């Protein structure tokens, strides 16, 4: 245990030596590039090291990544206190193909800082959850690290070319993680997941190229593309290309009817891959709509969102109803994730400051809570060797700590006050009310009360799940002697994610303030529904 704690604490503390707030002096290394490089370096070292050291190397660099993510969070806060002017911070720019307007361009604003923090938390928890992997361990941790490097680059990129490059870089490791280390129909799930995500990226790429050639300044720079005075996108162009971008990004977020890859992928993926996909890769969908589509094509957004919002409502309600019918423990969580991503997209459709802030906070919350829930399902499955709800029951008698943690995770998904899920949902529905009754978006006057039904449905299937799996008599008496509660290395990552969820739920101000630093200027620029 001492070796494990040292592997966690030493690199975490080291990150605070190399990276400072502005008041502490200049940083020795560029933090954003390091955030991308750390998991990639981990992958290279794992390739060259003996297999028995692979998990230690992965955990060491995951802890270092967590330290950098936390430090970037505090650096951004410190900059905002001194200079509250909205915009990107910690910008790193290196010319790459300058004649084509392509540069290696990194930066963070309030929204992407929260996503960097999310990636760091889920990476660290996933490395711990993967501690007992035995099948082709070296390869597993290589692909796991490469996946993190890809999504880290996507969240930090301010150039659409590199955004697309990093996103594509992350898809291949996910395919291999599901196809090799998955369960059930893993080959089918891996292929379906990959094809759907690549189809979504094809829509994205076409939209990016269209914006590049139709702008007055041929560039992939997100900052310039979000300024209509420089791009000159007319109303017809915006109305034509906004739905393509929305659906391209929406496929990543499992928007209806392109959602079916998600439950199959999660159901077959190994635990840490499910955590990363639900927690960070899937979150790119809603994030990218706010980052790219809304500022670049605001007139298209106002024209299409009153129609596209119905797809997000179907996501919320249909996926919740399907979750009620599932007989597989993991599939309930998978459809729950689809429903919660629908709520994120629903918040974006409000085009209100509170609604979009809620979408970002819900993205952060969903990433943390979904990772925590998938970690619990994977741990229970590893001990009980089944995910069939009919065979589970009374597990709190043999694993009380894991049972208690699952109750907390369920309450976070339901939106219990004091946990992160409540903050995001509250802001989303506040935005929906304002858009419908104060902003003139009359369809929300009808959709607002209907959407709230998703909270009721979520409470039903999670309370049912808790009762069926953990309470009542122990259905399999053999488990009483064969199954033990979670070990330290199994409980630590789940408890860590719970602490993060509590931090967001109990004191949401710094998180909402960081989100608002991006959203308030965005809505002021493009205008909401008035």
């Amino acid at each position: 245990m001492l070796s494990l704690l040292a592997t966690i604490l030493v690199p975490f503390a080291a990150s605070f030596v190399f990276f400072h707030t502005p008041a502490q002096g200049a940083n020795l290394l560029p933090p954003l590039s390091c955030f991308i490089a750390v998991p990639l370096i981990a992958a290279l070292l794992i390739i060259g090291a003996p297999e028995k050291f692979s998990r230690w190397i992965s955990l060491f660099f995951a802890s270092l990544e967590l330290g950098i993510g936390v430090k970037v969070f505090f650096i951004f806060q410190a900059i905002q206190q001194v200079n509250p002017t909205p915009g990107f911070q910690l910008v790193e720019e290196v010319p790459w193909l300058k004649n084509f307007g392509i540069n290696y361009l990194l930066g963070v604003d309030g929204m992407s800082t929260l996503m960097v923090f999310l990636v760091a938390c889920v990476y660290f928890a996933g490395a711990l959850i993967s501690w007992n992997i035995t099948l082709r361990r070296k390869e597993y941790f290589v692909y796991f690290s490469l996946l993190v490097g890809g999504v880290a680059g996507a969240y930090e990129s301010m150039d659409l070319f590199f955004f697309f490059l990093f996103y594509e870089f992350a898809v291949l490791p996910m395919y291999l993680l599901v196809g090799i280390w998955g369960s059930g129909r893993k080959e089918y799930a891996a292929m379906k997941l990959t094809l759907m995500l690549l189809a979504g990226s094809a829509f994205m790429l076409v939209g990016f190229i269209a914006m590049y050639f139709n702008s007055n300044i041929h560039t992939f720079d997100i900052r310039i593309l979000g300024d209509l005075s420089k791009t000159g996108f007319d109303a017809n162009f915006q109305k034509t290309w906004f739905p393509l971008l929305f659906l391209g990004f929406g496929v990543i977020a499992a928007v209806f009817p392109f959602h079916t890859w998600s439950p199959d992928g999660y159901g077959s993926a190994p635990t840490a891959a499910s955590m990363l996909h639900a927690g960070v890769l899937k979150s790119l969908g809603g994030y990218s709509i706010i980052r790219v589509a809304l500022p670049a094509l605001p007139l298209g957004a106002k024209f299409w969102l009153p129609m596209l919002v119905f797809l997000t409502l179907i996501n919320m309600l249909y996926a919740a109803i399907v979750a009620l019918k599932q007989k597989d423990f993991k599939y309930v969580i998978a459809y729950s994730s689809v429903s919660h991503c629908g709520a994120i997209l629903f918040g974006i459709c409000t085009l209100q400051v509170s609604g979009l802030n809620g979408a970002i906070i819900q993205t952060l919350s969903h990433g943390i809570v979904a990772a925590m829930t998938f970690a619990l399902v994977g741990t229970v499955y590893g001990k009980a060797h089944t995910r069939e709800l009919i065979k589970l029951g009374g597990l709190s008698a043999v694993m009380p700590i894991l049972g208690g943690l699952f109750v907390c995770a369920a309450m976070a998904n339901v939106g219990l006050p004091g946990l992160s899920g409540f903050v995001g949902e509250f802001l989303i529905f506040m935005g929906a009310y304002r858009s419908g009754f104060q902003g003139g978006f009359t369809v929300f006057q009808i959709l607002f009360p209907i959407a709230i039904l998703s909270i009721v449905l979520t409470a039903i299937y999670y309370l049912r799940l808790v009762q069926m799996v953990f309470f009542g008599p122990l259905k399999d008496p053999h488990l009483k002697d064969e199954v033990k509660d979670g070990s330290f290395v199994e409980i630590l990552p789940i408890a860590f994610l719970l602490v993060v969820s509590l931090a967001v739920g109990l004191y949401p101000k710094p998180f909402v303030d960081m989100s608002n630093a991006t959203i308030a200027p965005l809505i002021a620029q493009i205008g909401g529904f008035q």
Side-chain angles (χ1 to χ4, degrees), residues 8 32-33 52 77 88 113 154 177 189 200 237 252 302 321-322 346 356 434 437 440 464 480 503:
I8 293 171
L32 300 188
S33 288
K52 63 181 180 179
Q77 273 195 322
F88 289 91
T113 298
L177 285 168
F237 175 84
I252 306 173
K302 291 181 180 180
I321 293 170
V322 174
F346 186 79
L356 266 73
R434 286 179 173 172
F437 293 92
R464 170 178 170 266
K480 187 171 184 180

Side-chain angles (χ1 to χ4, degrees), residues 278-294:
V280 297
L281 186 57
K282 195 175 180 182
S283 299
L284 266 173
Y287 167 86
S288 302
I289 292 172
I290 301 174
R291 169 63 69 235
V292 180
L294 291 186

Side-chain angles (χ1 to χ4, degrees), residues 184-423:
R185 300 168 65 193
K186 58 184 181 181
E187 292 86 0
Y188 165 79
M191 183 62 70
K192 184 177 183 180
L193 178 152
T194 305
L195 289 176
M196 290 294 288
L197 291 181
L198 291 179
S201 69
F203 284 116
M204 288 161 38
L205 181 60
V206 172
F208 294 168
I209 293 173
M211 288 194 295
Y212 176 85
F213 282 107
N214 284 275
S215 63
N216 295 331
I217 303 174
H218 294 332
T219 182
F220 288 104
D221 190 327
I222 288 174
R223 298 170 299 181
I224 297 175
L225 291 172
D227 187 345
L228 286 179
S229 64
K230 296 179 180 178
T231 60
F233 294 142
D234 60 32
N236 289 331
F237 175 84
Q238 294 186 47
K239 292 176 182 178
T240 301
W241 290 100
F242 179 83
L244 196 73
L245 279 181
F246 184 92
L247 292 177
F249 295 135
V251 169
I252 306 173
V255 70
F256 181 88
F258 308 106
H259 66 287
T260 56
W261 63 267
S262 182
D264 289 332
Y266 293 156
S268 298
T271 301
S274 297
M275 293 168 64
L276 277 173
H277 202 166
V280 297
L281 186 57
K282 195 175 180 182
S283 299
L284 266 173
Y287 167 86
S288 302
I289 292 172
I290 301 174
R291 169 63 69 235
V292 180
L294 291 186
L297 309 171
L299 296 179
K302 291 181 180 180
F303 179 80
W304 282 102
L305 289 182
M307 291 167 271
L308 293 171
V309 69
F310 287 97
L311 298 182
T312 72
L313 185 66
I314 294 172
N315 258 75
M316 296 171 69
L317 299 178
Y318 169 74
I321 293 170
V322 174
L324 278 168
K325 295 291 185 179
Q326 296 306 304
K327 299 178 181 179
D328 184 299
F329 194 3
K330 199 171 186 180
Y331 269 83
V332 177
I333 311 304
Y335 277 103
S336 172
S337 174
V338 174
S339 179
H340 282 93
C341 284
I344 293 169
L345 297 177
F346 186 79
I348 293 172
C349 290
T350 65
L351 276 190
Q352 295 287 332
V353 172
S354 52
L356 266 73
N357 276 325
I360 294 173
I361 299 302
Q362 184 68 357
T363 300
L364 173 64
S365 172
H366 170 261
I368 295 297
V369 176
M372 177 169 53
T373 315
F374 277 117
L376 281 159
V377 173
T379 304
V380 170
Y381 173 69
K383 295 176 179 299
H385 306 296
T386 182
R387 297 192 322 228
E388 293 183 53
L389 295 178
I390 196 171
K391 296 180 180 179
L392 297 170
L395 292 185
S396 286
V398 291
M399 45 181 83
I401 296 177
L402 290 175
L405 288 171
F406 188 84
V407 171
C408 294
M411 293 303 101
N413 277 290
V414 169
L416 183 73
L419 292 162
S420 57
F422 172 77
V423 181

Side-chain angles (χ1 to χ4, degrees), residues 91 94 117 178 192 196-197 207 254 265 286 289 323 353 420 466 502 516:
V91 175
V94 178
F117 176 72
V178 177
K192 184 177 183 180
M196 290 294 288
L197 291 181
I289 292 172
V353 172
S420 57
V466 169
L502 283 167
N516 198 57

Side-chain angles (χ1 to χ4, degrees), residues 78-250:
I79 294 173
Q80 285 295 106
Q81 290 171 2
V82 176
N83 179 22
T85 303
F88 289 91
Q89 311 291 348
L90 303 175
V91 175
E92 302 170 26
E93 183 170 8
V94 178
W96 196 62
L97 293 175
K98 203 167 184 179
N99 292 337
F100 293 94
I102 301 173
N103 299 301
Y104 174 77
L105 182 60
L106 305 180
V108 290
D109 59 1
M111 177 172 64
S112 47
T113 298
L114 291 177
M115 297 302 103
V116 165
F117 176 72
L118 172 62
V119 171
C121 291
V122 178
Y123 180 27
F124 171 73
L128 278 172
I129 282 293
S130 304
W131 194 252
N132 295 321
I133 288 286
T134 55
L135 174 66
R136 299 166 67 174
R137 181 184 290 168
K138 177 184 285 195
E139 296 167 72
Y140 173 89
F141 282 109
V142 168
Y143 298 137
F144 177 74
S145 301
L146 291 176
L147 172 58
V148 175
V151 293
Y155 279 120
E156 292 181 345
S157 292
M158 296 164 57
D159 184 282
L160 287 182
F161 178 87
F162 276 92
F163 170 89
F164 184 81
L165 185 70
F166 279 119
Y167 170 74
E168 294 290 296
F169 185 78
V171 172
L172 180 59
M174 178 58 71
Y175 169 76
L176 295 169
L177 285 168
V178 177
I180 298 173
W181 290 273
S183 59
R185 300 168 65 193
K186 58 184 181 181
E187 292 86 0
Y188 165 79
M191 183 62 70
K192 184 177 183 180
L193 178 152
T194 305
L195 289 176
M196 290 294 288
L197 291 181
L198 291 179
S201 69
F203 284 116
M204 288 161 38
L205 181 60
V206 172
F208 294 168
I209 293 173
M211 288 194 295
Y212 176 85
F213 282 107
N214 284 275
S215 63
N216 295 331
I217 303 174
H218 294 332
T219 182
F220 288 104
D221 190 327
I222 288 174
R223 298 170 299 181
I224 297 175
L225 291 172
D227 187 345
L228 286 179
S229 64
K230 296 179 180 178
T231 60
F233 294 142
D234 60 32
N236 289 331
F237 175 84
Q238 294 186 47
K239 292 176 182 178
T240 301
W241 290 100
F242 179 83
L244 196 73
L245 279 181
F246 184 92
L247 292 177
F249 295 135

Side-chain angles (χ1 to χ4, degrees), residues 24-92:
Q24 295 171 315
N27 285 300
L28 299 176
L29 297 168
L32 300 188
S33 288
C34 287
F35 193 76
I36 300 171
V38 162
L40 302 182
I41 292 171
L44 291 174
L45 291 177
I46 292 168
I47 291 172
E51 184 172 338
K52 63 181 180 179
F53 294 122
S54 56
R55 62 181 183 177
W56 293 96
I57 296 171
S58 178
L59 180 58
F60 181 92
F61 282 92
S63 301
L64 181 60
E65 186 89 330
L66 177 63
I68 298 173
V70 171
K71 198 63 185 180
V72 167
F73 182 90
F74 286 114
I75 290 173
F76 186 87
Q77 273 195 322
I79 294 173
Q80 285 295 106
Q81 290 171 2
V82 176
N83 179 22
T85 303
F88 289 91
Q89 311 291 348
L90 303 175
V91 175
E92 302 170 26

